[in-house]
Amino acid sequence: MDVLQNLLDGLQLALGAENLLFVLLGVSVGMMVGVLPGLGPAPTVALLLPITFGLEPSTAVILLAGVYYGAMYGGTITSVLLRIPGEAASVVSTIDGHEMAKQGQAGRALGLAAIGSFVGGLIATCCLVLFAPALADFALNFGSPEYAVLAFLGLILVAYTSAGTMAKSLVAVGIGLLLASIGQDPMTGSSRWAFGVPELMSGIDVVAVIMGLFGLSEILVNIVDNRRGESTIRQVGRVLPTGRDLRDNAGAIGRGSIIGTGLGLVPGGGGVLASLVSYGTERKVSRRPERFGHGAPEAVSGPETANNAASISTFIPLLTLGFPPNGVLAVIFGALLIQGVTPGPALISDHPDIFWGVVGSMVVGNLILLIMNIPLLPVFVRIARIPPAVMATLTVAILIVGAYSINGNTFDVGVMVAAGLAGYLLRRIGVPPAPIVLAFILGPIFETNFRRSLVLSDGGFDIFVSSPTAIVLLVAAIAVLVSTALPMVRQRRQALEAED
Amino acid sequence: MAAAADTTVDPADLRFGRIGFAVLTALATVTTIGAFTTLDFGTPARPAPGFWIGCVSVATLMLVVVALVNPRIAVDGVSRITRADAAAVALAVPLLALTPSLLTLLGLTVTTALVCLYWFLVITRTRPLFSVIGAGAITAGIVIIFIELLHVPFPLGTLTGIR
């Protein structure tokens, strides 16, 4: 009863005129940020930080949280229409979402993603209310070995879910891990492979790499095709999903909600890992997995549900433990500190207005996004009708400006261009770009926890099987590897038998 | 199945894939040698900055070699670069390489306009009038969104004196 009463109080707080205005402002800015490649949620939340100084602490967090989950909705739009992920968590939707767009089903893909995101957001909010303390306790039990094994599992899943052979995807993972290691050593702080370039001392910016590998390489791959004066996407199709669509995708949305809510608690993983695991799960449970990569609707609805659910559940470690799991939450952590509020276990009892106000705003914000999304989708899908020559030129301009906006320097523009050219050449030889980016994100987490574990165990690798959680995660990773290798072994044996 | 797959391998695709992976093998070899010669490896009990990079570069090198020597892997997903593609990309590379310097010298507005005009006229071969109108419209949109609405602090161009 207490929970229900607190939730009602939170909703009442969120529906107050001022808070409602800031929810609307937050999700609108978030949507815009999601649609514009380059200007991701983290820099936008940081840019908005000065605005929050004069606001109540709960209103400040409501505004910044709205930007975050609003960006999760918006990121899908460019992924589906342009094959450019607005932010990293929408990478997976570039595969089947864009294929659906090419088949004249852009509206259907975006409609399913919007409804899935709403359901995922709502379910994650319910979990935030009901299970926050217990789930946070579970995540709290993770030590370095568990994090290292979890990152390993994440990378194996990244390779497993990518297009093409596992070997080429693992090559891409290796490239991503090596790129992530440029800059400061996370344990000793010493410089690695900076070659005396000051900008490289702090490492390569992931957003610039994402923009180059996905955005610019896509433009270069289609450089001749883009000379056409007319769009190949002639039909965008209906926007509202049918009852059958919803029935067919209900399982994917349900599974995406659970996966997203669970993985949102994992530091570093968040929306990116959730959408990847959801994609892999949907392909695994599908009766027709061969459709994946060619425009399977559940390959869009599941991951999009998962990334939005994850963006909500990432607030659990922040609001209950004072532990920001990713960059955006770190900025929100800073916003609370500026307001004189220290996030941690005492926050719910000391500042119930903040915790329950944010929870209430998530319900209201997700509803606003759904209401905004459905009628506005036809506006967004019209982008698909713009001639390729115009779209390519516009994209190049946005990529340049977006890369510059990350840190306000031209070095990031150079990184974006280099990543774009490298991505173009790698794609031509069949190395997919997605695992590079995702390994780049997971790399520092993997390295830090891997090395820390080895130090703790005095060099003993048995530390990675020292707890039930680590064992379960390691077995899962090995199972994925074995499930990939077995068909190849079987095929080889059949070929040898045929030769005999 | 495997035999059938092998018979469908296009020799030109295989050659292209192998050239690509030969280049990657060379890069991975240089990276591995660089990791072991320029960085301290440490021991498993006391891993130094080169420990992680050394492990990852060796694993990557092994995977690249596997892809190079296995025809089915080397050819998977390969999409050869045509003469037309190469010519268009060759025209785009100088512009893209110059863009960071142009931003510093000319500022965002002029650079965006020039990049758009070049991309329309040279890369996508759009008619000149449409190219000028398109470049102007895109530049105006970028300036309104990024400079006027989002207040992204773009620096003044050192030659033009404008953002």
Side-chain angles (χ1 to χ4, degrees):
Chain A
M1 272 313 278
D2 275 355
V3 169
L4 196 64
Q5 186 56 49
N6 284 330
L7 183 61
L8 286 174
D9 289 346
L11 278 170
Q12 201 176 4
L13 196 74
L15 288 169
E18 191 188 358
N19 284 339
L20 193 60
L21 182 72
F22 279 100
V23 173
L24 190 64
L25 181 68
V27 295
S28 303
V29 171
M31 276 274 286
M32 198 168 78
V33 163
V35 170
L36 294 172
L39 203 73
T44 309
V45 167
L47 278 173
L48 288 175
L49 209 52
I51 300 174
T52 65
F53 295 165
L55 301 176
E56 288 291 313
S58 56
T59 311
V61 183
I62 284 170
L63 169 71
L64 300 178
V67 175
Y68 185 30
Y69 54 80
M72 293 295 144
Y73 274 77
T76 320
I77 295 167
T78 45
S79 291
V80 169
L81 296 180
L82 306 175
R83 205 171 182 265
I84 299 169
E87 36 73 46
S90 298
V91 166
V92 172
S93 298
T94 58
I95 309 166
D96 287 78
H98 190 65
E99 284 300 318
M100 286 179 76
K102 285 204 277 194
Q103 294 161 19
Q105 300 176 39
R108 187 176 169 217
L110 291 170
L112 281 169
I115 290 171
S117 295
F118 172 71
V119 175
L122 219 55
I123 289 175
T125 309
C126 291
C127 289
L128 179 64
V129 171
L130 296 172
F131 307 116
L135 285 170
D137 278 350
F138 179 70
L140 190 62
N141 291 330
F142 274 41
S144 285
E146 286 81 8
Y147 279 129
V149 178
L150 186 68
F152 177 65
L153 171 63
L155 292 175
I156 295 295
L157 285 168
V158 165
Y160 177 70
T161 53
S162 297
T165 59
M166 184 89 166
K168 281 190 174 175
S169 298
L170 286 173
V171 167
V173 166
I175 293 170
L177 290 176
L178 288 171
L179 284 175
S181 65
I182 293 172
Q184 240 178 14
D185 174 45
M187 301 282 282
T188 63
S190 60
S191 176
R192 295 189 301 196
W193 288 358
F195 307 109
V197 180
E199 287 89 347
L200 282 179
M201 301 279 187
S202 54
I204 301 172
D205 195 284
V206 66
V207 183
V209 174
I210 288 175
M211 292 170 75
L213 282 176
F214 288 106
L216 190 58
S217 77
E218 178 72 13
I219 295 292
L220 294 175
V221 164
N222 297 307
I223 198 159
V224 174
D225 289 345
N226 283 341
R227 287 180 178 155
R228 288 186 319 274
E230 290 177 6
S231 169
T232 49
I233 303 171
R234 291 177 182 280
Q235 284 184 310
V236 289
R238 66 191 150 71
V239 174
L240 274 173
T242 60
R244 189 178 170 183
D245 277 338
L246 293 176
R247 272 197 305 278
D248 290 348
N249 286 273
I253 290 172
R255 284 185 291 273
S257 301
I258 295 164
I259 290 167
T261 305
L263 291 179
L265 301 170
V266 178
V272 181
L273 192 60
S275 57
L276 273 166
V277 172
S278 169
Y279 186 88
T281 306
E282 290 314 313
R283 199 170 75 165
K284 209 72 189 163
V285 302
S286 174
R287 286 178 189 160
R288 290 193 295 152
E290 68 278 3
R291 291 177 307 129
F292 280 64
H294 304 285
E298 56 271 36
V300 179
S301 59
E304 285 303 325
T305 304
N307 74 33
N308 199 51
S311 74
I312 301 283
S313 65
T314 48
F315 279 84
I316 294 174
L318 178 76
L319 297 178
T320 57
L321 302 169
F323 184 78
N326 61 37
V328 183
L329 273 291
V331 181
I332 296 176
F333 181 91
L336 281 168
L337 287 181
I338 290 166
Q339 298 277 355
V341 177
T342 306
L347 186 133
I348 299 176
S349 54
D350 291 352
H351 302 278
D353 56 320
I354 295 178
F355 183 81
W356 294 106
V358 170
V359 168
S361 79
M362 285 169 174
V363 177
V364 177
N366 273 288
L367 192 63
I368 290 172
L369 279 167
L370 183 69
I371 294 167
M372 274 170 60
N373 248 293
I374 297 294
L376 285 180
L377 281 183
V379 177
F380 289 123
V381 293
R382 277 177 188 274
I383 295 168
R385 287 190 179 140
I386 297 173
V390 176
M391 193 49 87
T393 311
L394 176 65
T395 307
V396 170
I398 291 177
L399 286 171
I400 291 167
V401 178
Y404 186 88
S405 309
I406 303 165
N407 295 309
N409 66 43
T410 53
F411 181 78
D412 288 329
V413 181
V415 169
M416 185 272 292
V417 168
L421 292 170
Y424 169 72
L425 296 171
L426 288 170
R427 283 173 66 170
R428 288 297 192 183
I429 59 167
V431 177
I436 301 177
V437 169
L438 296 158
F440 193 97
I441 294 167
L442 290 177
I445 299 164
F446 193 6
E447 180 186 1
T448 307
N449 290 292
F450 180 72
R451 283 171 61 185
R452 196 176 288 155
S453 302
L454 287 177
V455 170
L456 286 171
S457 66
D458 205 23
F461 284 84
D462 57 341
I463 193 169
F464 298 110
V465 288
S466 60
S467 76
T469 310
I471 292 170
V472 168
L473 294 170
L474 200 59
V475 167
I478 292 166
V480 174
L481 282 172
V482 170
S483 76
T484 314
L486 272 182
M488 290 195 307
V489 172
R490 203 176 298 133
Q491 279 180 5
R492 184 77 190 140
R493 196 192 304 152
Q494 283 172 351
L496 288 172
E497 283 169 4
E499 280 173 21
D500 289 343
Chain B
M1 276 291 284
D6 281 344
T7 55
T8 58
V9 170
D10 181 341
D13 281 348
L14 182 59
R15 194 166 51 247
F16 182 81
R18 283 203 158 140
I19 291 170
F21 273 91
V23 173
L24 271 186
T25 305
L27 288 172
T29 307
V30 170
T31 306
T32 307
I33 293 169
F36 283 95
T37 53
T38 63
L39 296 166
D40 180 16
F41 193 81
T43 64
R46 292 282 173 273
F51 184 84
W52 173 256
I53 298 180
C55 294
V56 174
S57 56
V58 167
T60 308
L61 178 60
M62 285 163 61
L63 286 162
V64 170
V65 171
V66 166
L68 177 69
V69 298
N70 187 323
R72 289 204 316 152
I73 296 174
V75 83
D76 180 68
V78 162
S79 157
R80 273 177 288 144
I81 300 172
T82 63
R83 277 174 192 267
D85 282 332
V89 172
L91 287 170
V93 168
L95 172 78
L96 293 169
L98 278 174
T99 304
S101 308
L102 287 176
L103 277 169
T104 309
L105 292 171
L106 306 175
L108 173 83
T109 311
V110 178
T111 304
T112 307
L114 284 178
V115 167
C116 290
L117 195 61
Y118 183 89
W119 207 272
F120 269 126
L121 281 173
V122 181
I123 310 291
T124 65
R125 296 177 185 170
T126 307
R127 282 170 292 156
L129 181 63
F130 188 88
S131 297
V132 172
I133 295 169
I138 290 172
T139 306
I142 295 273
V143 168
I144 290 168
I145 292 173
F146 284 90
I147 294 180
E148 301 300 327
L149 293 178
L150 293 175
H151 298 291
V152 177
F154 289 101
L156 302 172
T158 49
L159 290 181
T160 58
I162 57 169
R163 290 198 199 283

